[in-house]
């Protein structure tokens, strides 16, 4: 798009630039294009004649960006009988219309505070970056939050830069990404100070990947085995339980002398594994038989982590709630612990405002009549031979700073997920965000999904091993080592506020210095 067309049709230019910016995320990973798109967008916002125009240009950019980036959202509606699949296209665009508010606020704040006549300057870029940090954090928090694909995720192909999140976190690194785009803009307008600092610094960070890898596992470390049966959402009805269980059994291997932590995905075991429910809840299944059958796959010191559903009952033995859970099973068919998902997916695992939405014909995407209830937050299961294992089910892993019980740091995180809902773009994007959590916390992560992408992730964000999308398979490796607690793991998202404040203070200092220089020149 030429400069002339961008100036003449700024809204159209911003829409296209937003869409182009989305190509820097997985699966395309065209991150240089993202930086260029953001640089041009910042210039168009700077050229806005008034605040209203700046807000409009920010919102249109966001519509283009989030429509492309979240195109996988439609695919979830293909498995929903209560609502027509075509509604998914409207839902994806509707979500983008809301999410676009946050780039709109960024552009408006930068224009209102830092815009000056002439070409954009370093102050404008730094204010833009600080505002982006604040609005991205707000997007991840407001109305339970939608933290999918923060801007900093585009750095994973240049993983040395992504590893800065171990110090400052995802949201602050997104602000640094804006500074990188702003450095390109400063080059274009022949302002050299910011590029002279930012470009070498980011280059050095990228090269740091050569010497910052996590150490290999120590001898005698237990094994981890991640199982991916490649059974899609459409093939997991109530009548498919035997076929699904057989596929999981074939891929789980056999126990040996070395203890194994075997992990299965979310959403594949439909029958209940807990005792104590009213008899009608089990149907023809027996939880004891099911546990014994699964325990036969285990060596004497192995543990199996299973994604499943836990039921709650009232005093009249009626089902009153359900939890999306992980169960730990030992070789004696005993349950050694349970974790209940805490950060539920609105419209997926529960329907907000059911009194309003159900009469309109809307339903939650996960099948069933009972909404899930939430657990108590980040928690661990302490398992013999393996230590403390942190749990984050599916969507929970995308929330920076909210995945670890900070009072009881685990040895590793387990992230079972059901990415079969997410089309072609969702699974690699979900994996990328899990890699960012590994870097931030300095903890390895195990991801098990029904259709991929399953992975063993090192504590530095590297992929130790993966099972590709829509492939049946299993991977077994020594349990990766954790790193010492990172700065971010100690401070959390206060780092976002600190970095944003530093950017704003620096912007003010740059502006005051420029004003002082201009005043001295006039006095001469």
């Amino acid at each position: 798009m030429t400069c002339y067309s961008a100036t003449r049709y700024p809204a159209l230019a911003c829409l296209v630039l937003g869409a182009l910016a989305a190509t820097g995320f997985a699966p395309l990973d065209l991150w240089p294009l993202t930086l260029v798109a953001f640089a041009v967008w910042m210039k168009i916002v700077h050229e806005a004649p008034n605040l209203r125009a700046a807000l409009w240009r920010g919102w249109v950019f966001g519509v283009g960006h989030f429509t492309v980036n979240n195109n996988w959202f439609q695919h979830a509606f293909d498995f929903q009988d209560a609502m027509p699949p075509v509604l998914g296209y409207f839902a994806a665009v509707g979500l983008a219309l809301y999410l676009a508010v946050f780039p709109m606020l960024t552009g408006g704040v930068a224009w209102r505070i830092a815009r000056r006549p002439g070409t954009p300057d370093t102050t404008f870029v730094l204010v833009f970056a600080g505002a982006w940090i604040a609005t991205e954090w707000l997007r991840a928090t407001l109305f339970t939050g939608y933290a999918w694909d923060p801007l900093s995720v585009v750095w994973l192909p240049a993983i040395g830069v992504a590893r800065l999140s171990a110090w400052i976190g995802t949201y602050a690194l997104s602000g640094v990404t804006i500074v990188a785009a702003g450095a390109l803009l400063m080059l274009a307008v022949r302002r050299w100070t910011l590029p002279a600092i930012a470009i070498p610094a980011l280059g050095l960070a990228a090269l740091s990947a050569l010497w910052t890898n996590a150490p290999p596992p120590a001898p005698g470390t237990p094994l981890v085995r991640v199982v991916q049966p490649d059974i899609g959402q459409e093939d997991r009805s109530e009548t498919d339980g035997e076929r699904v269980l057989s596929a999981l059994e074939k891929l789980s291997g056999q126990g040996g002398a070395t203890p194994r932590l075997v992990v299965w995905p979310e959403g594949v075991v439909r029958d209940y594994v807990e005792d104590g429910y009213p008899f009608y809840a089990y149907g023809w299944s027996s939880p004891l038989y099911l546990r014994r059958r699964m325990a036969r796959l285990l060596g004497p010191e192995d543990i199996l982590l299973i994604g499943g559903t836990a039921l709650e009952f009232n005093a009249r033995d009626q089902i009153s709630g359900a939890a999306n859970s992980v169960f730990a099973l030992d070789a004696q068919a005993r349950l050694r612990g349970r974790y209940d998902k805490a950060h539920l997916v609105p419209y997926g695992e529960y329907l907000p405002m059911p009194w309003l939405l159900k009469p309109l014909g809307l339903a939650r995407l996960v099948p069933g009549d009972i909404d899930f209830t939430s657990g108590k937050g980040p928690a661990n299961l302490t398992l013999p031979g393996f230590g403390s294992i942190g749990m984050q089910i599916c969507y929970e892993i995308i929330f920076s700073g909210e995945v670890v019980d900070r009072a009881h740091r685990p040895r590793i995180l387990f992230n079972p997920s059901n990415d079969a809902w997410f089309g072609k773009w969702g699974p690699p994007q979900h994996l990328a965000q899990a890699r960012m959590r590994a870097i931030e916390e300095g903890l390895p992560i195990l991801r098990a999904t029904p259709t991929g992408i399953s992975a063993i992730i090192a504590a530095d964000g590297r992929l130790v091993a993966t099972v590709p999308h829509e492939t049946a398979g299993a991977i077994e490796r020594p349990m990766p080592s954790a790193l010492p607690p990172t700065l971010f793991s100690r401070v959390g998202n206060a780092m976002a506020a600190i970095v944003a404040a530093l950017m704003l203070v620096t912007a003010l200092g740059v502006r005051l210095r420029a004003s002082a220089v201009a005043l001295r020149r006039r006095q001469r």
Side-chain angles (χ1 to χ4, degrees):
M1 180 169 292
T2 67
C3 293
Y4 172 75
S5 61
T7 302
R8 187 172 182 181
Y9 305 106
L12 176 61
C14 290
L15 185 70
V16 173
L17 289 167
L20 288 175
T23 64
F25 296 84
L28 300 181
D29 291 325
L30 301 175
W31 60 269
L33 191 55
T34 297
L35 297 182
V36 171
F38 268 84
V40 178
W41 172 51
M42 283 191 280
K43 187 173 189 303
I44 295 175
V45 170
H46 185 271
E47 293 173 350
N50 51 51
L51 177 60
R52 182 176 180 180
L55 292 168
W56 171 245
R57 294 174 187 191
W59 186 79
V60 173
F61 177 90
V63 170
H65 180 69
F66 290 113
T67 297
V68 173
N69 206 32
N70 293 304
N71 68 79
W72 55 267
F73 194 76
Q74 183 280 327
H75 191 65
F77 286 76
D78 291 341
F79 307 105
Q80 173 55 256
D81 293 331
M83 296 179 289
V86 70
L87 185 61
Y89 294 99
F90 294 97
V93 175
L95 178 63
L97 297 179
Y98 159 67
L99 296 175
V101 168
F102 299 100
M104 178 190 77
L105 293 174
T106 297
V109 167
W111 189 95
R112 182 67 182 85
I113 294 177
R115 192 255 186 191
R116 292 292 185 272
T119 58
D121 59 10
T122 297
T123 296
F124 181 78
V125 171
L126 291 175
V127 172
F128 209 108
W132 185 275
I133 293 172
T135 58
E136 191 171 84
W137 173 84
L138 190 62
R139 170 165 72 90
T141 306
L142 197 63
F143 307 128
T144 78
Y146 185 79
W148 193 269
D149 270 355
L151 180 58
S152 54
V153 177
V154 302
W155 289 113
L156 278 170
I159 196 168
V161 180
R163 286 176 183 165
L164 292 175
S165 63
W167 297 88
I168 61 175
T170 288
Y171 306 130
L173 183 55
S174 292
V176 172
T177 310
I178 295 292
V179 173
L184 298 181
L185 176 57
M186 294 298 96
L187 284 175
V189 299
R190 299 179 182 274
R191 292 178 180 266
W192 312 114
T193 302
L194 183 62
I197 297 172
I199 294 176
L202 289 170
L204 181 61
L207 289 174
S208 71
L210 298 175
W211 63 82
T212 56
N213 289 342
T221 298
L223 300 175
V224 293
R225 185 179 183 91
V226 179
V227 174
Q228 178 175 301
D230 190 33
I231 296 178
Q233 190 68 28
E234 68 279 7
D235 297 322
R236 278 181 271 143
S237 67
E238 293 181 1
T239 60
D240 291 318
E242 176 60 32
R243 184 169 63 86
V244 173
L245 190 56
S246 295
L248 291 166
E249 289 172 333
K250 290 177 182 178
L251 293 168
S252 294
Q254 293 295 323
T258 304
R260 299 181 309 154
L261 183 66
V262 183
V263 298
W264 287 0
E266 176 194 27
V268 290
V269 177
R270 292 294 184 92
D271 293 326
Y272 304 118
V273 300
E274 288 185 309
D275 295 318
Y277 296 171
F279 73 92
Y280 74 86
Y282 296 112
W284 294 102
S285 65
S286 162
L288 179 60
Y289 166 78
L290 180 61
R291 295 199 306 270
R292 286 177 173 172
R293 178 174 174 178
M294 293 186 292
R296 288 200 301 266
L297 306 170
L298 304 177
E301 298 182 79
D302 292 355
I303 296 287
L304 173 64
L305 296 180
I306 312 155
T309 302
L311 297 180
E312 301 169 5
F313 298 86
N314 60 23
R316 293 174 293 179
D317 281 343
Q318 298 172 326
I319 297 175
S320 59
N324 188 354
S325 304
V326 172
F327 302 90
L329 181 75
D330 68 14
Q332 289 73 46
R334 297 174 299 187
L335 292 178
R336 304 301 295 258
R338 180 183 117 193
Y339 167 78
D340 296 338
K341 185 176 183 181
H343 204 140
L344 301 176
V345 183
Y347 304 98
E349 293 167 312
Y350 71 97
L351 187 67
M353 300 181 294
W355 53 271
L356 173 63
L357 299 181
K358 283 186 176 180
L360 297 177
L362 297 179
R364 62 186 178 94
L365 295 175
V366 176
D369 298 324
I370 301 174
D371 282 352
F372 285 98
T373 55
S374 60
K376 296 182 179 180
N380 308 324
L381 295 181
T382 301
L383 306 177
F386 300 95
S388 185
I389 312 298
M391 300 288 158
Q392 288 289 291
I393 298 177
C394 197
Y395 179 73
E396 291 183 301
I397 201 67
I398 72 172
F399 290 92
S400 172
E402 300 179 25
V403 300
V404 169
D405 178 357
R406 301 201 179 280
H408 305 92
R409 179 175 167 85
R411 178 179 184 179
I412 194 170
L413 291 174
F414 174 44
N415 176 224
S417 186
N418 184 6
D419 290 2
W421 300 91
F422 294 172
K424 300 292 185 183
W425 282 46
Q429 290 180 359
H430 207 176
L431 174 63
Q433 292 168 95
R435 293 175 68 188
M436 293 297 288
R437 299 294 84 74
I439 295 169
E440 284 180 332
E441 301 293 345
L443 291 173
I445 296 177
L446 308 178
R447 266 184 60 77
T449 75
T451 59
I453 304 168
S454 298
I456 300 173
I457 306 170
D460 55 25
R462 284 178 300 116
L463 295 174
V464 175
T466 63
V467 184
H469 191 220
E470 297 181 342
T471 301
I475 45 179
E476 185 171 294
R477 299 287 191 278
M479 182 182 288
S481 303
L483 291 169
T486 64
L487 177 63
F488 179 82
S489 73
R490 297 177 184 276
V491 179
N493 279 318
M495 290 304 302
I498 292 169
V499 173
L502 287 173
M503 287 178 172
L504 295 176
V505 169
T506 304
L508 177 62
V510 170
R511 180 58 55 81
L512 291 175
R513 181 177 180 277
S515 298
V517 170
L519 179 61
R520 285 197 298 269
R521 286 175 179 172
R522 285 197 299 268
Q523 290 175 342
R524 290 175 186 171

